[in-house]
Amino acid sequence: MLEYVAVLLPSIGVGAIFYFVMRSIFNADRAEREAMSQAEERQAQAQQEAPVATPDHEDPTESR
């Protein structure tokens, strides 16, 4: 019985390490996608709130 454990233990250990690494990668990706989504929403809000500067006439002092 101990031989079976000795044979299977390395595979189980590598499988556990693989599981935790993949889980951390997916969690990081999920957090990154959420942060990007929030940044895009803030950028869209800022573009909607910012007034568009269209001068009605040319100011001679601005060209200097």
Side-chain angles (χ1 to χ4, degrees):
M1 177 72 176
L2 188 57
E3 295 137 1
Y4 295 119
V5 173
V7 169
L8 293 175
L9 192 59
S11 297
I12 292 171
V14 169
I17 291 170
F18 179 76
Y19 171 77
F20 288 116
V21 167
M22 293 305 292
R23 187 175 75 168
S24 68
I25 289 171
F26 285 127
N27 286 341
D29 182 58
R30 184 181 316 122
E32 180 68 21
R33 288 176 187 262
E34 184 176 326
M36 287 296 293
S37 174
Q38 290 175 356
E40 289 172 355
E41 287 176 10
R42 285 193 302 265
Q43 185 179 16
Q45 285 179 346
Q47 287 178 350
Q48 288 177 353
E49 292 174 359
V52 178
T54 55
D56 293 335
H57 64 286
E58 287 191 29
D59 189 5
T61 59
E62 287 181 6
S63 61
R64 293 182 192 176

